Every structure is written in C-alpha cells, then in structure tokens.
Amino acid sequence: MPTDFPHFDALIIGAGMAGASLGAEIAADMAVLMIEQEDQPGYHATGRSVAFWSESYGGPLVRPLTQASLAALADPDPAFSEDSFLSPRGAVHIGNADDATLRDRMIAAFADNDLLVPMDRSALETRIPGLRPGWSTGVWEASTADIDVATLHAAYLRQFRQRGGTLWTDAALTSVERSSRGWTVLTAAGACTADILINAAGAWADPVARLCGVAPLGIQPLLRNVAQLRTDPAAPADLPLVLDLAEQFYFKPAGGGRIWLTPHDEHPALPCDAGPDDLAIATAIARFEQVVDWKVEAVERKWAGLRSFAPDRLPVYGFDRRTPGFFWFAGQGGFGIQTAPAAALLARARLTGAAPHAALSGIDLDRYDPARFG
C-alpha cells in the first residue's frame, strides 16, 4: 500500500444527508474521510428536498426507521442542537368518490394505531380553505411535521468535524483500486487509502459501485419537479401538507404565504444536475387549480431533484457480500431525510460491529441489507 497517501479507516463517498449523518455517527470510532464531488455538501437531493416527517411515507416497511428517527429529530441532544428540527404541520390525504378504495387501503396498512383518521367533505373544508367541489374523502395524519433540512444537515456536518472527521469538496472520484490491503482512491482533490469504502453517493450509487469494481444493485434515480407559487389568497401559515390519494400532486406552505407544489412525478433519469421541466410544472399547476379556487399569480422558483430507489423501493444498508470492504448506504428514495438518524445508527452498528442502538430495538435490520438482492 502506498505510504505517501493519507490513510483512513473509512471513506464516505457523498456528503449529502446520508453521508453527513453516517459520518457524524462513526467519526468518533474511526478515522473517516468524506468526499463530495461538488464544491458544497448537499448540492443535489438534500439541498432540493421538500422534506417532511410523515409516519406513513414510504409505507409500512420504511415506517420503523421513520419512527426510530423521531426522538432525534424532535428532541435532539442539546450537544447536537438546542432546537428541534421539526415543526408541526399535519397532513391531509385527499380524494374524490372514486378514491375510497385508496383511502381504505391506506388506513388498513397502518391499522395498528390511530395514525390515520378518515375525513369527510365537511372535515376537509375545515383544513383546506377554498376547496373545490368533488373532493369528498380524505385521511388526516396529525403527526406530520416539517423538517428543517438545512439546519439538520449542517448539524451533522458540524458534529462530523468536531469528532475528527475530514471533508474534501470538489473531490470527484477519478479511479479506485482494491487489493488485499484495502482501497487506493484518486479524486480531483487528492488521493488516499482506506480500509472501507462507504457508498453514500445518492443518484450516483450504481456508477460509483461500477467504478469500484462492484456489481450495481439497480438503484434508479427518479426525477421530481417542484415549483414555488405566489397565490391569491396567500397560503395560510397553518395549512397542512395536502397530498392526493392517487399520488398526482402534493403541496405545502413554504413561508411568506407561498406554496411548494409538485406533480408527484417520478421520471427515470441519469445521475445529473437535474433541471425542472416546464411541462411538468404546468401539469402540477393545472392539478393544483382543480383542488382549490386560489389564483396562481406567479411561479417564483422551479427546480428538480433526484430521488433514488432500489428495485424494491427499500433503502440498502450493509456490506456488499461479494466485495469485502465495500458498504452500501444508498437507495433512500424520498424518505432519506426523515429516516436519517435511524439509518445512521443502523449503519454504524453494521460497520463497527457494535450492538444496535436502543432506538433500533425491534427493527428487522436484515430487511435493508444488500444481501436480499442475491
């Protein structure tokens, strides 16, 4: 192994929410380098997220990670943050008469507690001012909350540095070689050696694996468009997150009376600096105008982000069974931010061999292991 390169116990590829949260968890136990191809961490999915904490989001198999993350987000250790990363919002999942089956299926999937409450037209009107005719059924999810993504990401990066972690930006991978002694990695910012490579590269997870000589898992980036709207009337500050039971849109207040709106699209894409699609934004606005009688006065901003899913739409956390020293931390889809605390704890246990944190008690950790793909 070359002696003129710095050596690390672990190298994390990607400094978005995934890499930052895991780095913060393991930096006290290991010498860790985190590399980011952009000039700032969180430029892609993390920086473009319309994030919220929703216990139903991602379905019943993601829910355990969401639940296990709640305490760390709502009431963090004061040494990590003096303030909560969550603020109350609530969510209304709405539908028309033809969506009753979707409503019932959703409620049945979470029937073990009172998470979801059926709503009739009268109840919908109390939550959504200006609701147009036709929206006659829905589900109320009171526990849904907004997440302060930027503050959470910054807190993880700060803790990573405080615990001795090293961050390189503008450090795109150029080559990776593996031997029985570990990994030799060349980046645009320099070279290093490491015992373990951690693939937290988001939309680039499969290309990174290929560069490392590891078989990809079929992690697919899916593009989602978002627009910020100015409306008349302005959006009430206490408006809940509004989602379509048929998954054709959702929107939420963005502060200052503005709305963040998406057509809930999922277009397969290559890893890239994603840009918005004008037709998708126009489609979203048309759907929004069918929900409420508000006038859209302006599209103030529009953007797109990539959400990456494994074939079964569950995250992938664990060592690759065919390539020693290669660890997957990818496929978090759209729920990577709300599950970040639990995911980082899970991966720390797998990386260090330590007993899983108490917050993970009762969770089938093997459900998220890459070995499930054979």
Side-chain angles (χ1 to χ4, degrees), residues 25-333:
E25 283 297 333
I26 65 174
D29 304 309
M30 313 167 75
V32 184
L33 171 66
M34 182 159 46
I35 62 172
E36 168 57 51
Q37 66 178 347
E38 307 295 345
D39 62 1
Q40 60 180 353
Y43 175 77
H44 292 284
T46 298
R48 307 177 194 200
S49 172
V50 185
F52 46 84
W53 187 92
S54 165
E55 196 169 336
S56 70
Y57 189 52
L61 298 185
V62 172
R63 181 188 184 192
L65 297 175
T66 302
Q67 292 174 315
S69 297
L70 178 58
L73 294 172
D75 187 22
D77 186 317
F80 182 62
S81 174
E82 296 181 354
D83 300 307
S84 173
F85 298 106
L86 302 182
S87 53
R89 173 62 56 197
V92 175
H93 305 259
I94 64 172
N96 55 42
D98 295 333
D99 294 327
T101 299
L102 296 176
R103 175 203 62 203
D104 295 344
R105 187 182 303 155
M106 182 179 185
I107 292 173
F110 299 93
D112 59 323
N113 62 15
D114 297 327
L115 172 66
L116 304 176
V117 178
M119 303 178 75
D120 58 15
R121 171 70 193 192
S122 176
L124 291 174
E125 289 176 345
T126 66
R127 298 287 183 180
I128 309 172
L131 185 67
R132 290 189 180 277
W135 301 100
S136 57
T137 189
V139 175
W140 172 241
E141 187 174 353
S143 60
T144 298
D146 293 337
I147 303 177
D148 188 339
V149 179
T151 302
L152 177 63
H153 186 225
Y156 275 128
L157 289 172
R158 181 174 61 252
Q159 187 174 70
F160 173 68
R161 294 188 181 98
Q162 290 173 344
R163 292 179 170 177
T166 302
L167 172 65
W168 292 356
T169 55
D170 288 315
L173 282 177
T174 56
S175 72
V176 180
E177 294 183 2
R178 177 176 169 270
S179 72
S180 60
R181 297 172 294 179
W183 302 88
T184 300
V185 178
L186 302 182
T187 80
C192 71
T193 59
D195 296 329
I196 300 171
L197 290 190
I198 300 172
N199 185 356
W204 283 262
D206 269 6
V208 162
R210 292 189 186 97
L211 184 60
C212 298
V214 177
L217 297 181
I219 294 177
Q220 174 64 59
L222 300 176
L223 187 145
R224 174 154 295 176
N225 288 274
V226 186
Q228 178 174 300
L229 308 180
R230 186 177 76 245
T231 63
D232 181 20
D238 61 351
L239 183 75
L241 169 68
V242 179
L243 308 98
D244 177 28
L245 283 166
E247 299 186 348
Q248 294 296 298
F249 62 82
Y250 64 80
F251 57 88
K252 67 186 288 287
R258 271 49 176 182
I259 284 288
W260 280 353
L261 167 71
T262 172
H264 210 288
D265 48 345
E266 291 188 345
H267 303 297
L270 296 174
C272 65
D273 184 358
D277 178 78
D278 288 340
L279 178 58
I281 299 300
T283 298
I285 292 172
R287 293 172 181 172
F288 174 78
E289 290 175 333
Q290 293 172 3
V291 180
V292 290
D293 60 7
W294 309 353
K295 179 182 177 181
V296 176
E297 294 189 327
V299 177
E300 296 183 328
R301 287 197 302 138
K302 52 188 176 181
W303 68 95
L306 298 178
R307 307 152 69 252
S308 301
F309 290 89
D312 60 2
R313 297 182 72 92
L314 294 180
V316 186
Y317 305 139
F319 280 104
D320 190 273
R321 294 304 174 91
R322 299 177 181 175
T323 308
F326 189 89
F327 191 92
W328 290 90
F329 197 62
Q332 292 92 338

